[in-house]
Amino acid sequence: MKKLVLINPHPIGNVGEENVSVLNQMPVNLGYLKTLTPKHWQVDIIDETQEPAIDEKTGDTTFGGADLVGITSVSYQAHRAYQIAAACRKRGIPVIMGGIHATSYPEEAAQHVDCVVTREAVTLWEKIIGDFEKGCLQKRYDGDLTPMELYRGLRSDRKYLKDKYKYRYSGIITTAGCPFSCEFCSVPQFQGRKYRERPIEDVLDEFESIKGQYRGLILTDENFYGHSKKSNERVRDLFKGMVDRGIYQNWFGFTSLNIYKDDETLEYMRKSGCVGVLIGIESINEEALKTMNKNVNLRISIENYFEAIANIRKHGLAVWGTMVFGNDADTPETFKQVADFVLDSHVDIMTCGILCPFINTPLYHRLNGEGRLFRTNFPEDWKYYTSHHLTYVLKNMSLQELIDGFQYLYDRIYATEVLRQRFQNAKEVLKDNMNAAMFAFRVNLDWQTVYQHLIQNLKELQTTGFYNEALKQYNQSKKAGKKVELTPIEVSS
């Protein structure tokens, strides 16, 4: 029997969103590949948020040998993925790499692994395994975009993952792709801009099959609502179907603020067990939203944010907003404005980070073209490409002002006493859905630690003097009127 090991890498000591304990969910994507692998293969999955794939003392793999290893990776995991690949290849084990980073930068990935899979591997995993068995594994495969009908009856091997790591949370796919074109987002590269919808009855069948097995489920869709009238009716039918079937399951998902006008859908969401929605607010500065090309928020208008948040909460759903700082329109005053907005609007959870130029996004190319990126010692520096590190020269703030701003924000909205007050408000407003209030409180407590880590990252950057040197070089080049010449990184078509 051949052995396949699938790995979700994690940079040792790198704390990010995925470390928030209330959302520590299983890698469902690897569970799909396990299901699709022929039965005469033994398949193991290693999640490095739970255990290492490499012995840090010896540099050898912790799982012994294997016939084949598959690694999925986003950019901040890429350097770790390459370390794992090197350890495997030293043992003579061929390595396949896929995921967002391999899709965005296949030329780099190809230098470290035997085979690169761009876009979604589900569409051709059986072919890849078949080619390997015949001794003709290709250097590159393009998975294209998975037709949602392919998931009909296909189930991720959650039981294996739960038995191994005791996950309390899992995810479920209902749609894929995003037609929006936000400057900072890498989703269109990986999942495409075509919005693809999975058959409702199949989604309901999967919900029913795992009902009650997890503390909560996460709809992994980038945005399950707001693309068109037809798609909105579909998602309403999905939640109505959950209610009709009696599938009451704590869940939350990612959506746009424009859902606030749809009272019927919001009510079905609450009745089906929804505890809240994560909404990319990103900024309360109109110029910043224009720069980020966040048109869906601009159409709602910042003046309507308060009404939108209030109406979602009125239905018993917690509102989890996200903000990013470091945009060219941001100033030190922005932090006070955001703190006031959070407290005045009673957003249940507000998580904030630093604007991140993910590889090959319009934001990455803009900052790169302006000569403002300073974390460019790749692949090692990929570990900094999260919303918890600064990787570029700021425009309207000093590094000290950014540090002071995040500290101010922490003191205003994440101090323990403030969290207690916000929790009390949540209990009063979300009284018909206490699970939502408790969910918000747990996430807020977890994010206390994440924010402290973010601030510490910025202070460490300041201590090294690395940022000041980058700022000095940038200003000198700008003063001299030099044009920055950079080698473009091409994404696979």
Side-chain angles (χ1 to χ4, degrees), residues 181-189 280 282 291-294 324 327 355-359 361-364:
S181 53
C182 301
E183 186 192 36
F184 54 82
C185 185
S186 59
V187 170
Q189 293 182 57
E282 316 307 1
T291 301
M292 290 186 274
N293 204 30
K294 192 75 177 181
V324 289
N327 190 282
L355 186 65
C356 180
F358 296 113
I359 179 67
T361 58
L363 174 63
Y364 179 90

Side-chain angles (χ1 to χ4, degrees), residues 224 252-253 255 259 269 274-279 312 317-321:
F224 64 75
F252 95 102
T255 192
I259 198 172
M269 287 168 61
C274 181
V275 294
V277 287
L278 188 149
I279 297 171
I312 295 171
L317 306 178
V319 176
W320 178 342

Side-chain angles (χ1 to χ4, degrees), residues 13 30 33 72 89 94 119 145 153 221 291 305 374 410 416 460:
L30 296 183
L33 298 187
T72 184
R89 296 173 91 188
R119 294 193 279 191
L145 304 179
D221 314 13
T291 301
Y305 279 10
F374 60 83
Y410 178 88
T416 301
E460 288 175 1

Side-chain angles (χ1 to χ4, degrees), residues 426-443:
K427 287 195 296 182
E428 293 171 2
V429 177
L430 309 176
K431 57 182 180 296
D432 293 333
N433 190 2
M434 287 305 296
N435 286 339
M438 289 302 303
F439 169 77
F441 188 56
R442 290 197 304 271
V443 173

Side-chain angles (χ1 to χ4, degrees), residues 52 84 171 225 253 271 283-284 301 356 399:
I84 295 170
Y225 184 94
K271 289 179 178 177
S283 177
I284 54 172
S301 82
C356 180
L399 177 56

Side-chain angles (χ1 to χ4, degrees), residues 184 221-225 252-261 266 269 276-283 294 296-297 300 305 307-313 317-324 341 347-352 439:
F184 54 82
D221 314 13
E222 295 301 324
N223 179 10
F224 64 75
Y225 184 94
F252 95 102
F254 309 83
T255 192
S256 299
L257 201 57
N258 55 6
I259 198 172
Y260 84 97
K261 290 185 176 181
L266 291 170
M269 287 168 61
V277 287
L278 188 149
I279 297 171
I281 295 174
E282 316 307 1
S283 177
K294 192 75 177 181
V296 64
N297 288 16
I300 294 171
Y305 279 10
E307 177 190 349
I309 292 166
N311 196 52
I312 295 171
R313 298 183 80 225
L317 306 178
V319 176
W320 178 342
T322 62
M323 292 272 191
V324 289
F341 169 78
V347 171
D348 299 285
I349 308 164
M350 179 59 73
T351 53
C352 307
F439 169 77

Side-chain angles (χ1 to χ4, degrees), residues 451-493:
Y451 272 127
Q452 290 168 352
H453 188 82
L454 184 157
I455 294 169
Q456 185 58 37
N457 287 341
L458 291 173
K459 289 180 177 179
E460 288 175 1
L461 174 62
Q462 184 179 54
T463 299
T464 64
F466 192 46
Y467 180 83
N468 285 340
E469 183 60 31
L471 179 62
K472 180 180 176 182
Q473 291 181 13
Y474 170 73
N475 286 332
Q476 287 175 345
S477 297
K478 189 177 178 182
K479 187 175 181 180
K482 293 181 180 178
K483 182 177 179 179
V484 181
E485 297 291 344
L486 296 157
T487 303
I489 298 172
E490 299 295 338
V491 65
S492 147
S493 60

Side-chain angles (χ1 to χ4, degrees), residues 12 25 34 45 48 61 80 84 129 134 153 156 164 268 317 352 365 400 404 468 480 489 492:
I12 304 302
Q25 60 162 315
K34 183 177 184 299
I45 297 176
E48 281 210 306
T61 60
R80 177 64 176 180
I84 295 170
I129 296 298
K134 290 182 288 189
S156 175
K164 182 174 184 179
Y268 279 125
L317 306 178
C352 307
H365 287 298
Q400 185 60 57
D404 291 344
N468 285 340
I489 298 172
S492 147

